[in-house]
Amino acid sequence: MELHIGNFYVKDIKFGDKTKFENSTLTINKEEALSIVKEDSHITEADIIIVKPGDMVRIVPVKEAIEPRCRLDGKTIFPGVLGPMYRAGDGVMHALKNCSVLAVGKHWGGFQDGLIDMGGEGAKYTYYSGLLNVCLVADTDEEFEKREQQKKNKALRWAGMRLAEYLGNCVKDQKPEEVETYSLPSITDASRDAKLPKVALVLQAQSQMENDGYNDLVYGWDTNRMLPTLMHPNEILGGAVISGSFMPCSSKWSTYDFQNFPMIKKLFSEHGKTINFLGVIFSNLNVALDQKERAALFVAQIANNIGADAAIVAEEGYGNPDADFIACIVALEDAKVKTVGLTNECTGRDGASQPLVTLDEKADAIVSCGNVSEMIELPPMPTVIGELESLARDGLSGGWSNDAVLGPSVREDGSIIMENNAMFCGDMVVGWSTKTMAEF
């Protein structure tokens, strides 16, 4: 299996008569792009707004981020979701780099939605402030989703994917600036260096909801319905997985994150040098205790069966999923697989609480990506895209309508106070993070 991703680096985005990529500039025919968005009759109103790094703009509620891409064979970039099923991670794709499509609610949000500041102090809290963003700002007629804390927002997220594919197709017939090639020999291939440790990456995707429409999808299949399985890392990078709409936002992995998963790319870069990269054990996060135990057992037995010496476990979420995270690490350690965990933590607003719901002495190598409850206070922004009041009104995971001590999240002057929880994909467990640890 060999995946080639041809990269086109976008330095500017503007509107024009024709959607095209020329001289490092992406030009968008707005009317044509909106016609792609409005293919779904549930979308009642929509607009596209371009924002750039450093713009004094606040975007909320942000629901999803997608990298614009296309496949040269004409297949959809998200098999089993936007089109027929095929095995992702093989063949040739083209990608517009340094930019994303953001799906933004025009009026209504939920606790899985987040906030992005493109400029000022708040920009440092999320990777997406550094991208050129095509904001799809839309509303729907789906009354059953309004005022629901755990909204599905399928219409907006699917529209964002269609828009990303439409934009990506403008470079289908062009020559890329560079080509990334991802190839991994089989686990039994004799070319592997037997002296190097064999390492697997365990991804615990968001899958806690037993109702349809909330969880991450693999080839369009709800991850709540699956058992841990071995996947080729190319499948993740190639569009096999899309983000869900349940996880508190700072903990969430967007579809853009899956398309570009930095930890996967790092393990690829070390393959044959410091490690033998075996692949991805794609796991899930469960509700009941027996489900958690079963998933941990499956992860450990897969790791043993492929001969893993070590594993990295990455958790999408916190709280209840911590039980899955720790159980998985313990099961791997019991199976003689040395394991490192990647997660955020919830130590409370004062930083004094237990960091994970469940702990174990065998989980002795964990990388923290930050505290979801860290307080963030930001001044007013001259421009707001979406609806600022959603942070306070709609139960976003880091916002509130009123607090006895702190008052409302959204103040009359437009300044905000919130927990890191509401920063869009802010904890960057996937590997974007530039955070560091300090001892006091």
Side-chain angles (χ1 to χ4, degrees):
M1 179 180 263
E2 194 165 271
L3 176 64
H4 306 274
I5 303 178
N7 293 329
F8 297 79
Y9 286 90
V10 181
K11 295 182 180 177
D12 195 15
I13 304 179
K14 64 181 183 180
F15 293 116
D17 294 336
K18 182 180 180 180
T19 297
K20 62 181 180 179
F21 180 75
E22 189 175 71
N23 298 324
S24 301
T25 297
L26 173 63
T27 302
I28 302 172
N29 179 317
K30 189 173 183 179
E31 183 178 354
E32 191 173 88
L34 284 172
S35 71
I36 300 297
V37 169
K38 293 178 179 178
E39 287 177 358
D40 188 336
S41 60
H42 285 295
I43 294 178
T44 55
E45 52 181 317
D47 193 11
I48 295 173
I49 303 172
I50 297 165
V51 294
K52 304 173 184 181
D55 287 352
M56 297 305 286
V57 172
R58 179 163 290 154
I59 314 168
V60 63
V62 183
K63 301 172 182 299
E64 173 67 296
I66 311 106
E67 181 172 77
R69 289 184 175 186
C70 69
R71 282 188 63 95
L72 270 60
D73 58 9
K75 295 176 181 177
T76 177
I77 58 174
F78 298 115
V81 177
L82 292 187
M85 195 87 66
Y86 68 87
R87 190 181 183 190
D90 208 7
V92 183
M93 307 186 85
H94 282 176
L96 293 170
K97 309 302 290 187
N98 297 335
C99 67
S100 82
V101 171
L102 297 179
V104 183
K106 190 165 187 176
H107 299 299
W108 299 97
F111 90 97
Q112 76 289 336
D113 298 335
L115 177 146
I116 298 172
D117 272 3
M118 295 299 298
E121 175 69 12
K124 70 181 182 182
Y125 291 101
T126 173
Y127 174 81
Y128 293 90
S129 63
L131 298 179
L132 295 159
N133 291 309
V134 178
C135 296
L136 167 60
V137 188
D139 197 17
T140 75
D141 65 358
E142 296 170 290
E143 293 295 329
F144 72 96
E145 290 199 334
K146 291 181 178 180
R147 301 181 178 84
E148 181 187 346
Q149 191 182 40
Q150 300 160 1
K151 292 197 308 179
K152 302 175 185 179
N153 289 302
K154 179 178 178 179
L156 298 188
R157 293 186 296 121
W158 261 242
M161 286 187 283
R162 292 197 305 276
L163 178 58
E165 189 166 63
Y166 162 76
L167 296 176
N169 271 312
C170 78
V171 293
K172 184 176 181 179
D173 298 322
Q174 296 186 33
K175 183 179 179 181
E177 297 174 47
E178 67 172 13
V179 177
E180 299 176 33
T181 298
Y182 297 98
S183 178
L184 199 64
S186 70
I187 294 167
T188 58
D189 194 291
S191 67
R192 289 178 176 267
D193 189 337
K195 296 179 183 178
L196 297 177
K198 300 183 287 293
V199 180
L201 175 63
V202 181
L203 299 183
Q204 292 185 307
Q206 191 278 113
S207 54
Q208 288 177 277
M209 293 296 286
E210 294 180 335
N211 293 332
D212 290 335
Y214 298 96
N215 299 315
D216 294 350
L217 301 181
V218 178
Y219 291 105
W221 184 253
D222 193 309
T223 48
N224 183 264
R225 313 286 190 264
M226 65 179 286
L227 286 168
T229 187
L230 184 64
M231 295 182 69
H232 196 290
N234 284 14
E235 293 179 272
I236 312 298
L237 300 177
V241 184
I242 68 164
S243 177
S245 69
F246 172 78
M247 191 59 64
C249 202
S250 72
S251 304
K252 187 162 67 174
W253 300 345
S254 72
T255 297
Y256 184 104
D257 287 339
F258 282 115
Q259 292 173 296
N260 293 278
F261 217 102
M263 182 55 63
I264 290 177
K265 292 186 176 183
K266 181 64 176 177
L267 290 169
F268 262 121
S269 72
E270 293 300 317
H271 176 71
K273 299 175 184 177
T274 61
I275 62 167
N276 283 313
F277 183 23
L278 298 178
V280 172
I281 303 174
F282 201 88
S283 186
N284 48 8
L285 300 166
N286 302 281
V287 180
L289 181 59
D290 66 315
Q291 297 169 355
K292 297 174 187 293
E293 292 171 341
R294 187 179 299 109
L297 182 151
F298 266 78
V299 169
Q301 72 179 22
I302 292 171
N304 279 160
N305 287 336
I306 63 177
D309 300 308
I312 300 168
V313 178
E315 172 192 20
E316 184 185 8
Y318 72 95
N320 183 289
D322 293 344
D324 303 75
F325 177 67
I326 295 297
C328 186
I329 292 174
V330 170
L332 286 164
E333 289 284 345
D334 286 344
K336 309 302 181 186
V337 180
K338 295 183 182 297
T339 305
V340 174
L342 306 178
T343 183
N344 55 19
E345 49 187 311
C346 184
T347 57
R349 293 176 180 177
D350 60 359
S353 299
Q354 179 173 303
L356 302 176
V357 169
T358 303
L359 294 170
D360 191 284
E361 291 182 353
K362 293 175 183 176
D364 58 1
I366 293 179
V367 178
S368 170
C369 299
N371 175 20
V372 301
S373 299
E374 179 184 351
M375 296 298 295
I376 298 173
E377 193 167 359
L378 297 170
M381 268 295 183
T383 301
V384 174
I385 293 176
E387 191 173 47
L388 183 59
E389 186 55 38
S390 67
L391 175 64
R393 182 193 62 217
D394 299 336
L396 271 66
S397 51
W400 54 85
S401 58
N402 192 48
D403 181 273
V405 176
L406 300 172
S409 272
V410 178
R411 298 164 177 149
E412 290 186 5
D413 65 353
S415 64
I416 60 173
I417 183 169
M418 62 182 228
E419 294 180 354
N420 174 58
N421 245 324
M423 198 60 70
F424 183 73
C425 299
D427 296 323
M428 300 175 274
V429 174
V430 295
W432 300 115
S433 184
T434 55
K435 297 175 184 177
T436 188
M437 297 292 291
E439 291 189 13
F440 296 94

